[in-house]
Amino acid sequence: LAAIPAFSAHQAVAFATMMTVSTIGLIGWLVPPEAAATAAGRLLAPSDRARWLGSMLLGMLLAWDIPTSLLIPQLRKPDVLFHHIAMATTALIGATCLPTHYGLYYMG
């Protein structure tokens, strides 16, 4: 870890963030609100938790993951960059125009 401090720092911050969003997503999925009682509610009713997850992930990806992936040689790979850009797009959609109950599954 001491030989690659920037990579270790990236992994530590990413791990803490993933644990947070996974916990929120799991709790939201296992304890759904009344609006998610029907299929229509799960697809059409906005979810504040999903919007929060999308916002949290979008901020994390834009402020931390993508910049550090460009700066750290171990992370500067096409598949890693593509993954982060695709996840930022998914998070943007989940935070703005499609914050449904299923966002808890995809982003949490």
Side-chain angles (χ1 to χ4, degrees):
L1 294 177
I4 47 172
F7 179 76
S8 299
H10 173 270
Q11 296 301 88
V13 171
F15 179 75
T17 303
M18 292 304 110
M19 292 304 296
T20 302
V21 298
S22 295
T23 301
I24 299 297
L26 184 63
I27 291 169
W29 187 257
L30 296 177
V31 186
E34 279 293 317
T38 66
R42 289 188 295 274
L43 286 171
L44 302 173
S47 167
D48 289 337
R49 288 181 187 154
R51 188 180 310 274
W52 183 88
L53 280 177
S55 300
M56 173 78 170
L57 285 173
L58 183 61
M60 164 61 163
L61 286 159
L62 293 179
W64 180 256
D65 263 351
I66 293 173
T68 55
S69 294
L70 293 171
L71 296 172
I72 299 171
Q74 294 92 338
L75 297 173
R76 200 178 312 134
K77 300 176 187 171
D79 59 331
V80 173
L81 294 171
F82 176 78
H83 163 75
H84 287 146
I85 292 167
M87 269 310 300
T89 303
T90 303
L92 177 65
I93 292 168
T96 57
C97 58
L98 198 61
T100 66
H101 183 70
Y102 289 107
L104 298 170
Y105 177 80
Y106 289 106
M107 295 180 287

